Structure formats: C-alpha cells, structure tokens
Amino acid sequence: MDAGTWYNSLPRFTRYWLTATVGLSLLCRFGLLPMEYMYLSRELVLTRLQLWRCITSLFVFPLSGATGFHFLINCYFITQYSARLEKDQYVRSPSDYMYLLIITAILANLGGMVFNVYFLMDMLVVAITYIWCQLNKEVIVNFWFGSRFKAMYLPWVLAGIELIFHGSLASLVGIFNGHVYYFLKFQYPQELGGNAFLETPQILKRFAPDVSGGISGFGVPPESRAPPPRQAANSAWGHGNALGRN
C-alpha cells in the first residue's frame, strides 16, 4: 500500500487530527510559525484572552532532535488507536467521535492549565488510547521488545514510561481525562443506569450525519447493571419481557 492510499484509508477525523498535528508541528519546527504563540499558558489565556492557544497547543508538538522519536510514537498511536476507535466504535456515528475529540480536548486544556503542560499532544493521545483500551480490555496488544499484554494495561505502561524517563504527569492526566469520558459516556448511563450527559449536540449531527449500515461493535461498552423499571400493579398488559440491554 502506497502512502497516499494509506493516508486516504484513515477515517475522517483521525486523518484531520494527524494532518493538523504533523503540519503545524513541521511549520513551527522550520520557523514558519512562531512557537511562542502556539503553547498553552494559563496566564496568557485567562488574563490576555489569547484563546487560540487552547487549539494550537493540541496540535503543535515541539520538534527537535531529542523529541522526534517521541513525536513519531504519538503519531503512530493516532493512526492505530484513534483510527480503530473511530472505525469500530463510531463507524456509524462520526459526529459522536467528533464530540469525543472535543470533550477530551477541553479536558486536556483544563489539565494543561492546572499542571502547566504547554503542549497537549501526549495528554490527548493517551486519553483516546485509554478509551479504546477500556472498550477492548481483553485484546492482547504488542509492545516494545516483543512484550505482549492485555490492552487495559497499555495506558498505564505509557504513563509509567513517561513519568520515569521524562518526569511528566501528562499521560496520567490523559488517563484521567479518558476515564472521565468513558465513565460519563458508557459506565454511568449503561452500567449504572444514570443519565446520559454526553449526548452529541444536533449541530454536530448535522455537520457529520450518522451513517446507516456497516459493521461495528468491536469495542464493547459495559453491560448494564441498572435495575429494570418497575411495572405498575395490576397492569392490564401483563409484565412483558425486556429485549436486548440498556
């Protein structure tokens, strides 16, 4: 498969994300965009209202000889786990995946401001990877040096490596952000019977309409443990049988 075919095979929003990340990072690396206007700064965002930093910090990575390999690893994770999540879990509802990216981007900005993280690529990549891993907990993934383990452990391995070798908490914050989304989207409404707080806004549905047909379901949300609804006493229609699951 040539590069063009591979690139076009990536799902829509994963392709947009990868393109923006590589493009803006290279433009900054070669001095075509000023890096001092790209990073996230709590002071500059909140006091000087330089709101664009909340967007540029998601896509710009400070490329150098020391960080190039780390950047390539992040790009690999985007093409693997973001693409799988978008293709498998959200293949029929691209707007839902777009909303996922928006929610995790907002959480990444909040985490970046609290912990003074200037570039949010690590945080966002780990959050998306965590969500895929939670939906595919028992899948065996391959890692460095031939190691293999269940997907549920992958985000923690990444966070441990970053903490040990770079002294950064970004991946741990990414795990937290991913879990916030996973809990509110899947666990709380489907497993615990709570309200669905992360329903995709209609404006996004109009921008990226749902797709009928296709095959999905490689990622499996948790089964519902919510109590069944109570039947009214002496119902003339009987108790009936519940089909499927919540």
Side-chain angles (χ1 to χ4, degrees), residues 5-160:
T5 303
W6 169 81
Y7 176 78
N8 290 322
S9 71
L10 293 173
R12 177 180 180 181
F13 292 109
T14 297
R15 187 169 67 249
Y16 293 167
W17 180 12
L18 181 67
T19 302
T21 297
V22 173
L24 290 176
S25 298
L26 288 176
L27 288 174
C28 289
R29 177 69 178 90
F30 293 114
L32 299 177
L33 286 177
M35 184 65 81
E36 61 266 24
Y37 290 104
M38 300 292 116
Y39 68 89
L40 183 67
S41 167
R42 179 175 60 226
E43 178 184 357
L44 294 176
V45 170
L46 298 181
T47 63
R48 301 189 186 180
L49 296 181
Q50 296 183 4
L51 302 179
W52 69 82
R53 295 178 182 274
C54 296
I55 298 175
T56 57
S57 58
L58 294 166
F59 301 110
V60 172
F61 189 85
L63 281 174
S64 67
T67 63
F69 181 72
H70 187 93
F71 176 73
L72 291 177
I73 292 295
N74 274 342
C75 290
Y76 172 79
F77 271 75
I78 291 173
T79 62
Q80 290 296 305
Y81 297 105
S82 173
R84 292 179 188 179
L85 189 60
E86 187 174 355
K87 283 181 179 178
D88 296 344
Q89 186 66 32
Y90 295 94
V91 63
R92 294 188 226 174
S93 53
S95 60
D96 289 354
Y97 191 67
M98 183 182 181
Y99 194 46
L100 181 158
L101 292 176
I102 292 172
I103 294 298
T104 51
I106 292 171
L107 293 173
N109 271 278
L110 293 175
M113 291 184 191
V114 170
F115 293 99
N116 292 320
V117 178
Y118 299 129
F119 300 98
L120 305 178
M121 185 181 188
D122 287 347
M123 209 178 288
L124 194 56
V125 167
V126 172
I128 298 302
T129 302
Y130 177 88
I131 295 167
W132 182 87
C133 290
Q134 287 300 301
L135 293 170
N136 299 273
K137 292 181 179 181
E138 302 300 318
V139 172
I140 302 299
V141 297
N142 297 314
F143 201 62
W144 295 345
F145 311 115
S147 58
R148 303 174 76 243
F149 45 80
K150 292 182 178 180
M152 69 176 76
Y153 302 119
L154 178 59
W156 299 102
V157 172
L158 297 175

